[in-house]
Amino acid sequence: MEIQHFDDLLAAARAQAQPQRLLMVFVATELPEDASAEQRARFAQGEGGALVPLMCVDKTPEELDSFATLLAESQQFELPYQPWRLVFTAALSGSNGQAPTSEDAESPLERMVESVKLGMFGNLLPFDRQGQPVHFG
C-alpha cells in the first residue's frame, strides 16, 4: 500500500496481522542563531530551519479515527507561538494478538526524539499539518 496521506498509514496499521501502536514525534522548525542571510531568507519563505521536537505520543490505530482527529488533539497541547510543523511517525508491532502498551512505546519514542534531533529520520514517515507525506531532498 502506498502512503499518500496519514489516513493511509492508519489503514495500513489496522490491516497488519499483529496489532500496532503508532509512535509520533511532533516537531517545529527554528532558525539557528548563526544562520546565514540566505538561510534566513529561505526560512522566511517557510523552508529550512532546524527541527525541534515539541511533544510525542503513542496511540493504537483504533484510538484515531483520522488525521483530523490527531490534528484536533495535538492543537490542545501546542503552544500558540510555536505550532508543530511536521509529525514523524513509526509503528510498533505487537505479538500474540496483543498491541504494545504505552510503556512498551516509551523507549522507542525516546529513540525517535533523539533521531530527529540528530537529523537521522530516514526510517520515519514525516507528515505535514495537512496529513500529507513530506519528502526531504
Side-chain angles (χ1 to χ4, degrees):
M1 169 185 255
E2 188 174 336
I3 306 293
Q4 296 183 9
H5 190 271
F6 185 88
D7 291 342
D8 296 334
L9 175 67
L10 286 175
R14 290 182 186 121
Q16 296 302 305
Q18 292 294 329
Q20 305 289 301
R21 182 164 290 276
L22 298 177
L23 311 177
M24 294 161 276
V25 176
F26 295 82
V27 301
T29 54
E30 292 180 351
L31 191 62
E33 290 183 24
D34 62 346
S36 68
E38 179 184 338
Q39 289 171 323
R40 291 180 188 284
R42 286 185 57 223
F43 190 78
Q45 295 174 355
E47 298 176 8
L51 298 174
V52 180
L54 299 174
M55 59 185 161
C56 56
V57 69
D58 63 278
K59 299 260 187 188
T60 64
E62 293 73 27
E63 291 176 302
L64 290 173
D65 297 351
S66 65
F67 180 76
T69 302
L70 179 66
L71 179 62
E73 286 183 17
S74 72
Q75 289 172 326
Q76 296 174 26
F77 299 100
E78 71 183 351
L79 301 171
Y81 60 87
Q82 191 173 35
W84 64 269
R85 185 162 176 200
L86 300 172
V87 57
F88 287 91
T89 61
L92 188 60
S93 186
S95 61
N96 300 320
Q98 296 294 315
T101 65
S102 285
E103 290 77 28
D104 296 331
E106 285 179 21
S107 182
L109 269 173
E110 289 172 11
R111 285 193 302 274
M112 283 177 64
V113 169
E114 288 306 311
S115 293
V116 169
K117 286 180 181 177
L118 296 171
M120 298 171 52
F121 41 78
N123 59 339
L124 306 175
L125 291 171
F127 295 90
D128 65 17
R129 288 185 72 97
Q130 289 71 48
Q132 300 297 317
V134 174
H135 304 281
F136 293 92

